[in-house]
Every structure is written in structure tokens, then in C-alpha cells.
Amino acid sequence: MSDSTSPLLNSSSDSPPPPNQLQPIRKLSQNLALLSASSLFLTPAIMILKAGGYSSLGPFVFHPLFQSIAISVIAVSILSLQPTKSGNTKLRAFNKHRKLISYLSLPSFVLGSSAMYYNKYLHSAPHFTSWHSTFGLVTLALLVVQISVGLAFAIPSTESPILPKRLYKVHRLSGYFVLLPLLALTAALGGGHSTWSTTQAPLIVRVLFIDVPAATLVLAIWTGIQKHKLGF
């Protein structure tokens, strides 16, 4: 059976599980990723409360909240795939990953982006005037493409997807090394260095609770990468 037609989640070419000595490292990296994602959500939430919430900020409050929820969900969905040991666990992890992204993360991104667009409309403010907004637009567009490709690997089934398995490795590579860093960078630019955030907390706080967690989230998730699944 060729690589392009073999079952996506039950390939005999998959390597065995990593050695036991790697498990503590993977566990630590997963905890760091979850802690970092929590910081990326809680810090903007605290800033919003400090600024007076919806009564003071209007629809804008939904932008950082929904965006940070979406990033946190993406982190959890990726961690659910690291690592999986058998066909059954791979299938469960794949389905969990797909549902979290499709049903929670993408809708949250759309809601958060729409809230920002509507807020600018209410104030007749220009759109896409900062690096944060520019990266945000690019990242959202790439996310839609990434999700669409990912969903295609379950059509009509994971045993016989319409896309070749070799393309799944490209999907993994782009997710890990393009989309994930872009998400972290956009979050750092918005939560740590936007016009609004700079008025809510001193630089040291924003660096410690936004910039550092954003970088740590990416590095922690990268730690769980299994190189053979990327084709190396």
C-alpha cells in the first residue's frame, strides 16, 4: 500500500512510542504550555476588569477574550496529539483535535475578530493600522486554510481520506512552524504592545505575562513534536 493511499492514522511506518525517559520532559512541556495559555487568557481578562469591563470598553472586550480562548483551545487540541501510541488512541486524539478546532477555536476567532471590527465601525476608526491587526488578518486567513485542509483528512473517512497522506505532513509542518508562531506573535503584539494594552499595565508585567508565555507556549509545544511524524 503506497504512502498516498495508506490509512492516515494506522500507518505501519509510525515509529514506536518514545522512550520512558522522555515522558517527564513531555509532561513538563505540556504543563508549561497549559500554564502559558492560561496566562495569555487571564492577563487580558484582568486588564479588561481593571479598565471597567463592557460598560467602559464596549464590544472591544470580546476581542481579547475570544481570541485568547481560541489560542488556548488550539494549544489543548495540539497537546492531545502528543504523543499517541496506537491506532485507537490516534483516532480519538484526531477526532478531539478536529472538534476542538472546528467547534470552539475557529468560532471564537471569528467572534473575537468580528467584535473588534464592529467596535472600530462604531467609532469610525480605521482598520488594519497596526502590526497586530495585520498579523491577525493573515493568521485568521491561514487558520481557515489550515482547518479546511485538516477537515479534508476526515472526508469521507480517516481510513480513506480524499487527500494523500504525504500532504498531512505538510499540514503538520505548517501548523507547528507557521501558524503556531504567528498566533503567538499576534497575541504578544496585541496583549503586550497594542495601544490599549500599553495603557493597562507596565512593560515588565506585559513582558512577563504576555510575551514570555507566548514564546513559552510555542517552545513547549515544539518539545512534544515527534520528528518521524514530520517526515524526518
Side-chain angles (χ1 to χ4, degrees):
M1 185 177 290
S2 68
D3 180 68
S4 62
T5 59
S6 60
L8 181 64
L9 300 174
N10 293 283
S11 173
S12 59
S13 63
D14 281 349
S15 298
N20 289 335
Q21 59 265 31
L22 291 181
Q23 298 307 318
I25 297 177
R26 294 198 188 281
K27 187 65 176 177
L28 175 61
S29 67
Q30 289 180 345
N31 289 335
L32 284 174
L34 293 174
L35 183 63
S36 299
S38 298
S39 182
L40 291 177
F41 170 74
L42 291 174
T43 304
I46 293 172
M47 289 181 180
I48 289 172
L49 290 175
K50 176 176 174 287
Y54 187 87
S55 60
S56 298
L57 301 174
F60 170 79
V61 300
F62 299 114
H63 175 68
L65 291 179
F66 276 114
Q67 305 303 76
S68 56
I69 288 173
I71 293 174
S72 299
V73 171
I74 284 181
V76 171
S77 72
I78 295 175
L79 293 174
S80 69
L81 299 172
Q82 298 181 343
T84 50
K85 298 181 180 181
S86 68
N88 288 334
T89 57
K90 286 178 183 178
L91 182 58
R92 286 196 298 269
F94 179 81
N95 286 332
K96 179 180 179 180
H97 174 77
R98 176 172 55 85
K99 290 177 181 178
L100 285 173
I101 296 292
S102 302
Y103 301 154
L104 288 178
S105 184
L106 182 59
S108 294
F109 272 122
V110 172
L111 287 172
S113 300
S114 299
M116 189 61 183
Y117 187 91
Y118 182 60
N119 187 68
K120 292 232 176 189
Y121 168 78
L122 289 178
H123 296 87
S124 300
H127 298 276
F128 308 113
T129 58
S130 66
W131 284 113
H132 168 65
S133 58
T134 302
F135 275 112
L137 180 62
V138 171
T139 303
L140 183 60
L142 290 176
L143 182 67
V144 171
V145 173
Q146 184 81 357
I147 291 175
S148 300
V149 172
L151 289 176
F153 290 114
I155 301 173
S157 69
T158 55
E159 288 76 20
S160 182
I162 60 175
L163 297 178
K165 183 183 174 183
R166 65 175 65 95
L167 188 58
Y168 193 58
K169 294 178 180 179
V170 177
H171 176 72
R172 282 188 177 121
L173 282 169
S174 61
Y176 276 125
F177 299 111
V178 178
L179 189 57
L180 181 62
L182 275 176
L183 284 169
L185 176 61
T186 304
L189 288 173
H193 305 280
S194 65
T195 302
W196 178 76
S197 64
T198 56
T199 65
Q200 302 304 310
L203 178 61
I204 185 63
V205 172
R206 289 180 277 120
V207 168
L208 289 177
F209 294 98
I210 296 291
D211 294 348
V212 172
T216 302
L217 178 65
V218 175
L219 295 175
I221 289 178
W222 281 355
T223 302
I225 295 175
Q226 299 175 76
K227 292 192 294 182
H228 70 278
K229 289 189 174 183
L230 299 178
F232 299 142

Short mmCIF file of all heavy atoms in Angstrom, two decimals, residues 194-229:
data_model
loop_
_atom_site.label_atom_id
_atom_site.label_comp_id
_atom_site.label_asym_id
_atom_site.label_seq_id
_atom_site.Cartn_x
_atom_site.Cartn_y
_atom_site.Cartn_z
N SER A 194 -0.04 46.57 22.09
CA SER A 194 -1.02 47.39 21.37
C SER A 194 -1.22 48.73 22.09
O SER A 194 -0.80 48.89 23.25
CB SER A 194 -2.36 46.65 21.29
OG SER A 194 -2.91 46.48 22.59
N THR A 195 -1.86 49.66 21.41
CA THR A 195 -2.11 50.97 22.01
C THR A 195 -2.89 50.84 23.32
O THR A 195 -2.59 51.50 24.31
CB THR A 195 -2.89 51.86 21.03
OG1 THR A 195 -2.14 52.00 19.81
CG2 THR A 195 -3.13 53.24 21.63
N TRP A 196 -3.88 49.95 23.33
CA TRP A 196 -4.70 49.77 24.53
C TRP A 196 -3.93 49.09 25.65
O TRP A 196 -3.96 49.55 26.80
CB TRP A 196 -5.95 48.95 24.19
CG TRP A 196 -6.81 48.68 25.39
CD1 TRP A 196 -7.64 49.57 26.01
CD2 TRP A 196 -6.88 47.47 26.15
NE1 TRP A 196 -8.25 48.98 27.10
CE2 TRP A 196 -7.80 47.69 27.20
CE3 TRP A 196 -6.28 46.23 26.03
CZ2 TRP A 196 -8.12 46.69 28.14
CZ3 TRP A 196 -6.60 45.23 26.94
CH2 TRP A 196 -7.51 45.47 27.99
N SER A 197 -3.24 48.01 25.34
CA SER A 197 -2.58 47.25 26.40
C SER A 197 -1.46 48.04 27.08
O SER A 197 -1.20 47.87 28.27
CB SER A 197 -2.02 45.93 25.85
OG SER A 197 -1.00 46.17 24.89
N THR A 198 -0.81 48.92 26.33
CA THR A 198 0.27 49.70 26.93
C THR A 198 -0.24 50.69 27.98
O THR A 198 0.55 51.16 28.80
CB THR A 198 1.06 50.47 25.84
OG1 THR A 198 0.15 51.28 25.09
CG2 THR A 198 1.77 49.50 24.91
N THR A 199 -1.54 50.98 27.94
CA THR A 199 -2.11 51.89 28.94
C THR A 199 -2.65 51.13 30.15
O THR A 199 -3.08 51.75 31.12
CB THR A 199 -3.26 52.71 28.33
OG1 THR A 199 -4.34 51.84 27.96
CG2 THR A 199 -2.79 53.47 27.09
N GLN A 200 -2.63 49.78 30.10
CA GLN A 200 -3.26 48.99 31.15
C GLN A 200 -2.27 48.37 32.12
O GLN A 200 -2.64 47.99 33.24
CB GLN A 200 -4.12 47.89 30.54
CG GLN A 200 -5.20 48.38 29.61
CD GLN A 200 -6.13 49.37 30.27
OE1 GLN A 200 -6.65 49.12 31.36
NE2 GLN A 200 -6.35 50.52 29.62
N ALA A 201 -1.02 48.21 31.71
CA ALA A 201 -0.04 47.56 32.58
C ALA A 201 1.36 48.02 32.19
O ALA A 201 1.61 48.32 31.01
CB ALA A 201 -0.14 46.04 32.46
N PRO A 202 2.27 48.08 33.15
CA PRO A 202 3.66 48.46 32.83
C PRO A 202 4.33 47.42 31.95
O PRO A 202 3.89 46.26 31.87
CB PRO A 202 4.33 48.54 34.21
CG PRO A 202 3.47 47.73 35.12
CD PRO A 202 2.08 47.86 34.59
N LEU A 203 5.40 47.82 31.30
CA LEU A 203 6.08 46.95 30.34
C LEU A 203 6.53 45.64 30.96
O LEU A 203 6.37 44.57 30.36
CB LEU A 203 7.29 47.69 29.76
CG LEU A 203 8.14 46.88 28.76
CD1 LEU A 203 7.30 46.46 27.55
CD2 LEU A 203 9.36 47.69 28.33
N ILE A 204 7.06 45.68 32.17
CA ILE A 204 7.57 44.46 32.79
C ILE A 204 6.46 43.43 33.00
O ILE A 204 6.66 42.23 32.82
CB ILE A 204 8.26 44.79 34.14
CG1 ILE A 204 8.91 43.54 34.74
CG2 ILE A 204 7.28 45.43 35.11
CD1 ILE A 204 10.01 42.96 33.91
N VAL A 205 5.27 43.90 33.33
CA VAL A 205 4.12 42.99 33.52
C VAL A 205 3.73 42.37 32.19
O VAL A 205 3.47 41.16 32.10
CB VAL A 205 2.93 43.75 34.15
CG1 VAL A 205 1.69 42.86 34.15
CG2 VAL A 205 3.28 44.18 35.56
N ARG A 206 3.70 43.19 31.15
CA ARG A 206 3.30 42.69 29.84
C ARG A 206 4.33 41.70 29.28
O ARG A 206 3.96 40.72 28.64
CB ARG A 206 3.08 43.86 28.88
CG ARG A 206 1.83 44.66 29.23
CD ARG A 206 1.61 45.83 28.28
NE ARG A 206 2.40 47.00 28.66
CZ ARG A 206 3.31 47.56 27.89
NH1 ARG A 206 3.58 47.05 26.69
NH2 ARG A 206 3.96 48.63 28.30
N VAL A 207 5.58 41.97 29.55
CA VAL A 207 6.63 41.04 29.09
C VAL A 207 6.53 39.71 29.83
O VAL A 207 6.57 38.64 29.22
CB VAL A 207 8.03 41.66 29.29
CG1 VAL A 207 9.12 40.60 29.09
CG2 VAL A 207 8.24 42.82 28.33
N LEU A 208 6.37 39.78 31.15
CA LEU A 208 6.35 38.56 31.97
C LEU A 208 5.09 37.72 31.76
O LEU A 208 5.15 36.48 31.80
CB LEU A 208 6.48 38.92 33.45
CG LEU A 208 7.85 39.43 33.90
CD1 LEU A 208 7.81 39.83 35.38
CD2 LEU A 208 8.93 38.39 33.67
N PHE A 209 3.96 38.38 31.53
CA PHE A 209 2.69 37.63 31.50
C PHE A 209 2.07 37.53 30.11
O PHE A 209 1.05 36.87 29.95
CB PHE A 209 1.70 38.26 32.48
CG PHE A 209 2.12 38.12 33.91
CD1 PHE A 209 2.76 39.17 34.55
CD2 PHE A 209 1.91 36.94 34.59
CE1 PHE A 209 3.17 39.05 35.88
CE2 PHE A 209 2.31 36.80 35.91
CZ PHE A 209 2.94 37.85 36.56
N ILE A 210 2.68 38.18 29.10
CA ILE A 210 2.20 38.06 27.73
C ILE A 210 3.32 37.55 26.81
O ILE A 210 3.20 36.49 26.19
CB ILE A 210 1.66 39.39 27.18
CG1 ILE A 210 0.42 39.83 27.98
CG2 ILE A 210 1.33 39.26 25.70
CD1 ILE A 210 -0.80 38.96 27.76
N ASP A 211 4.42 38.30 26.73
CA ASP A 211 5.50 37.94 25.81
C ASP A 211 6.15 36.60 26.16
O ASP A 211 6.30 35.73 25.30
CB ASP A 211 6.57 39.04 25.80
CG ASP A 211 6.06 40.33 25.21
OD1 ASP A 211 4.96 40.33 24.61
OD2 ASP A 211 6.74 41.36 25.36
N VAL A 212 6.52 36.45 27.42
CA VAL A 212 7.18 35.20 27.84
C VAL A 212 6.25 34.00 27.69
O VAL A 212 6.66 32.96 27.14
CB VAL A 212 7.72 35.33 29.28
CG1 VAL A 212 8.23 33.98 29.79
CG2 VAL A 212 8.85 36.36 29.35
N PRO A 213 4.99 34.07 28.15
CA PRO A 213 4.09 32.94 27.93
C PRO A 213 3.87 32.63 26.45
O PRO A 213 3.73 31.45 26.08
CB PRO A 213 2.80 33.38 28.61
CG PRO A 213 3.23 34.32 29.66
CD PRO A 213 4.38 35.07 29.05
N ALA A 214 3.80 33.65 25.60
CA ALA A 214 3.59 33.40 24.17
C ALA A 214 4.75 32.60 23.59
O ALA A 214 4.54 31.62 22.85
CB ALA A 214 3.42 34.72 23.42
N ALA A 215 5.98 33.00 23.93
CA ALA A 215 7.15 32.26 23.45
C ALA A 215 7.23 30.88 24.08
O ALA A 215 7.55 29.89 23.41
CB ALA A 215 8.42 33.06 23.76
N THR A 216 6.92 30.80 25.38
CA THR A 216 6.98 29.52 26.07
C THR A 216 5.96 28.53 25.51
O THR A 216 6.24 27.33 25.39
CB THR A 216 6.72 29.72 27.58
OG1 THR A 216 7.69 30.62 28.11
CG2 THR A 216 6.81 28.39 28.33
N LEU A 217 4.79 29.03 25.15
CA LEU A 217 3.75 28.17 24.58
C LEU A 217 4.26 27.47 23.32
O LEU A 217 4.09 26.25 23.15
CB LEU A 217 2.51 28.99 24.27
CG LEU A 217 1.34 28.24 23.62
CD1 LEU A 217 0.77 27.20 24.58
CD2 LEU A 217 0.25 29.21 23.19
N VAL A 218 4.88 28.24 22.45
CA VAL A 218 5.40 27.67 21.20
C VAL A 218 6.51 26.65 21.49
O VAL A 218 6.50 25.53 20.97
CB VAL A 218 5.94 28.78 20.28
CG1 VAL A 218 6.60 28.18 19.04
CG2 VAL A 218 4.81 29.72 19.87
N LEU A 219 7.46 27.03 22.33
CA LEU A 219 8.59 26.15 22.62
C LEU A 219 8.14 24.87 23.33
O LEU A 219 8.66 23.78 23.06
CB LEU A 219 9.63 26.89 23.47
CG LEU A 219 10.31 28.08 22.80
CD1 LEU A 219 11.23 28.79 23.79
CD2 LEU A 219 11.10 27.63 21.56
N ALA A 220 7.17 25.01 24.23
CA ALA A 220 6.68 23.84 24.96
C ALA A 220 5.99 22.86 24.02
O ALA A 220 6.17 21.64 24.13
CB ALA A 220 5.73 24.27 26.07
N ILE A 221 5.20 23.37 23.11
CA ILE A 221 4.52 22.50 22.14
C ILE A 221 5.53 21.87 21.20
O ILE A 221 5.43 20.68 20.84
CB ILE A 221 3.44 23.27 21.38
CG1 ILE A 221 2.26 23.58 22.32
CG2 ILE A 221 2.96 22.49 20.16
CD1 ILE A 221 1.15 24.39 21.69
N TRP A 222 6.53 22.64 20.79
CA TRP A 222 7.57 22.09 19.92
C TRP A 222 8.31 20.93 20.59
O TRP A 222 8.75 20.00 19.93
CB TRP A 222 8.57 23.18 19.53
CG TRP A 222 8.08 24.07 18.44
CD1 TRP A 222 6.93 23.96 17.70
CD2 TRP A 222 8.74 25.24 17.95
NE1 TRP A 222 6.82 24.98 16.79
CE2 TRP A 222 7.91 25.79 16.92
CE3 TRP A 222 9.92 25.90 18.28
CZ2 TRP A 222 8.26 26.93 16.21
CZ3 TRP A 222 10.27 27.05 17.58
CH2 TRP A 222 9.45 27.56 16.56
N THR A 223 8.43 20.99 21.91
CA THR A 223 9.13 19.93 22.63
C THR A 223 8.45 18.58 22.43
O THR A 223 9.11 17.53 22.45
CB THR A 223 9.19 20.26 24.15
OG1 THR A 223 9.86 21.51 24.32
CG2 THR A 223 9.93 19.18 24.91
N GLY A 224 7.14 18.60 22.25
CA GLY A 224 6.40 17.35 22.09
C GLY A 224 6.35 16.82 20.68
O GLY A 224 5.73 15.79 20.42
N ILE A 225 7.01 17.51 19.74
CA ILE A 225 6.99 17.05 18.35
C ILE A 225 7.76 15.75 18.21
O ILE A 225 8.86 15.60 18.73
CB ILE A 225 7.60 18.13 17.42
CG1 ILE A 225 6.74 19.39 17.40
CG2 ILE A 225 7.78 17.57 16.01
CD1 ILE A 225 7.34 20.53 16.59
N GLN A 226 7.18 14.81 17.50
CA GLN A 226 7.86 13.57 17.15
C GLN A 226 8.35 13.70 15.70
O GLN A 226 7.55 13.75 14.77
CB GLN A 226 6.91 12.38 17.30
CG GLN A 226 6.42 12.23 18.73
CD GLN A 226 5.39 11.12 18.86
OE1 GLN A 226 5.73 9.95 18.85
NE2 GLN A 226 4.12 11.49 18.98
N LYS A 227 9.67 13.76 15.55
CA LYS A 227 10.25 14.11 14.25
C LYS A 227 9.85 13.15 13.13
O LYS A 227 9.68 13.57 11.98
CB LYS A 227 11.77 14.16 14.35
CG LYS A 227 12.29 15.31 15.21
CD LYS A 227 13.78 15.49 15.06
CE LYS A 227 14.53 14.29 15.61
NZ LYS A 227 15.99 14.48 15.51
N HIS A 228 9.66 11.88 13.45
CA HIS A 228 9.32 10.93 12.40
C HIS A 228 7.95 11.22 11.79
O HIS A 228 7.70 10.90 10.62
CB HIS A 228 9.36 9.49 12.95
CG HIS A 228 8.25 9.17 13.90
ND1 HIS A 228 8.30 9.51 15.24
CD2 HIS A 228 7.05 8.56 13.71
CE1 HIS A 228 7.18 9.10 15.82
NE2 HIS A 228 6.42 8.52 14.94
N LYS A 229 7.06 11.88 12.57
CA LYS A 229 5.75 12.21 12.03
C LYS A 229 5.80 13.41 11.09
O LYS A 229 4.84 13.69 10.37
CB LYS A 229 4.77 12.49 13.17
CG LYS A 229 4.37 11.24 13.95
CD LYS A 229 3.24 11.53 14.91
CE LYS A 229 2.74 10.27 15.58
NZ LYS A 229 1.59 10.52 16.46
#
